[in-house]
Amino acid sequence: MNTPTKLGSYLLGVSVVFGSALGIGRAVGPVGAPAAGDHSTMAAPTASEGHGQQAIEQANEVAPGGLEVSADGYTLTPLTTTIKPDTPTDFRFTLTGPNNKPVTDYQVQHDKKLHFIVVSRDLNSFQHLHPVETGGGVWSVKLTLPAAGAYRAFADFAPAGGDGLTLGTDLLVAGDYAPEPLPPTSRTANVDGYTVTLDGDLIPGKASKVTLTVSKDGHPVTDLQPYLGAYGHLVALRARDLAYLHVHPDGEPGDGTTRSGPEIVFYTEVPSTGNYRLFLDFQHEGEVRTAGFTLSADQTTPTSTVAPGDHGH
Ligand SMILES: [Cu+2]
């Protein structure tokens, strides 16, 4: 897989597989909640699985989302243009489709038709919000941006009958702006008395396993609560350009094998070396909390999570 030609043909074959899999998923099940289930199952390879799952995963992650305001015929258009620092704002926007009309028909993914992620461009603040439909394809969300500066908002959605995509737009808040450096590399995050540790490495171009372990006051948390159909949601963003990476939980509540903590397992693939900021949302005792991590993806990282017989050496 060292030459561009080989990589190209490999990915082409893979795309076909991925497309077929999606087609089957849609054909056999109703549009809605099952789509999210199919998604997680399909994109959660284990070490015992062969090239197929790995390949599907790779095809899905080759082009990072969130870097464009318009893609595949869909466009994110903010209707609210002024946001003041630290002031709740009714932020409204539309997602228009290939026919230039606002999309009103969506698939449900992880319990919601639309996931709206807002981060500061310096990656020091993170919000995962769920806008509501106000009619005519207009979305509304109460948004508070903590301080003046530059922010990036991501709309993560799947139009009915289409593939999922993530569009991104900048949000600018006037005022004195003091950007913070990227938080230093850390595999431990503390939030509200919880400690979350991260095991696993980010490997450019390969799906790898990332395990997050939640404890509270030194004790493992074994009664995490399902939040949006999973015990945790992980968003990964590449430092500098804020490429938005899909991260898939391994298993879901009620599938008979996935335990409610203390470990939450994800599979992710980063497209390049560099620094990444990861944000985990988890729910315990009725409250959702967010733990943030900074990791560096290094080409020389031992590829311990690669399935036996994989092409890469
Ligand atoms: Cu969401």
Side-chain angles (χ1 to χ4, degrees):
M1 226 170 71
N2 290 329
T3 69
T5 311
K6 280 174 84 176
L7 180 64
S9 56
Y10 178 55
L11 292 177
L12 182 63
V14 156
S15 302
V16 173
V17 172
F18 185 55
S20 312
L22 274 181
I24 291 163
R26 277 203 299 276
V28 298
V31 172
D38 293 348
H39 192 55
S40 323
T41 307
M42 187 169 59
T46 65
S48 62
E49 286 169 324
H51 292 158
Q53 287 297 94
Q54 291 276 345
I56 288 167
E57 178 77 4
Q58 288 194 357
N60 196 19
E61 311 292 359
V62 159
L67 295 174
E68 298 175 296
V69 77
S70 186
D72 297 346
Y74 294 87
T75 301
L76 166 59
T77 305
L79 303 177
T80 306
T81 52
T82 303
I83 302 173
K84 296 195 166 110
D86 200 23
T87 306
T89 301
D90 175 19
F91 182 78
R92 293 180 175 233
F93 60 96
T94 56
L95 295 158
T96 52
N99 61 2
N100 262 337
K101 295 196 173 104
V103 179
T104 55
D105 216 1
Y106 294 87
Q107 300 176 48
V108 172
Q109 302 186 109
H110 293 298
D111 283 357
K112 298 286 179 183
K113 294 179 179 176
L114 175 70
H115 300 267
F116 195 66
I117 308 294
V118 182
V119 297
S120 56
R121 272 235 170 242
D122 65 9
L123 288 173
N124 275 266
S125 88
F126 172 90
Q127 301 179 57
H128 180 163
L129 306 170
H130 297 107
V132 295
E133 295 172 282
T134 63
V138 175
W139 291 93
S140 162
V141 63
K142 185 179 273 192
L143 177 64
T144 303
L145 298 177
Y151 295 80
R152 189 79 177 164
F154 303 96
D156 184 341
F157 67 100
D163 294 339
L165 78 159
T166 303
L167 301 176
T169 183
D170 282 346
L171 303 176
L172 303 173
V173 181
D176 286 342
Y177 175 34
E180 300 281 333
L182 186 72
T185 301
S186 174
R187 291 172 172 275
T188 302
N190 295 300
V191 51
D192 294 348
Y194 293 85
T195 300
V196 185
T197 57
L198 187 155
D199 292 295
D201 294 306
L202 301 179
I203 304 165
K206 288 201 179 299
S208 64
K209 181 180 178 180
V210 172
T211 303
L212 293 132
T213 306
V214 184
S215 64
K216 187 184 185 190
D217 303 326
H219 301 288
V221 173
T222 56
D223 57 346
L224 290 171
Q225 296 167 324
Y227 172 57
L228 303 174
Y231 286 119
H233 289 271
L234 188 65
V235 168
L237 298 164
R238 181 165 60 188
R240 299 185 190 282
D241 70 355
L242 308 193
Y244 177 100
L245 307 176
H246 288 271
V247 187
H248 308 289
D250 183 33
E252 56 192 71
D255 65 5
T257 55
T258 304
R259 295 197 296 174
S260 54
E263 295 187 344
I264 316 169
V265 176
F266 297 90
Y267 288 88
T268 188
E269 177 181 335
V270 296
S272 68
T273 57
N275 289 320
Y276 292 81
R277 188 85 176 135
L278 283 67
F279 296 98
L280 171 75
D281 289 328
F282 64 98
Q283 181 168 308
H284 187 235
E285 294 177 350
E287 216 175 306
V288 177
R289 295 177 172 85
T290 302
F293 306 85
T294 302
L295 282 191
S296 173
D298 183 347
Q299 197 73 61
T300 63
T301 299
T303 53
S304 56
T305 56
V306 173
D310 192 274
H311 293 295
H313 291 287

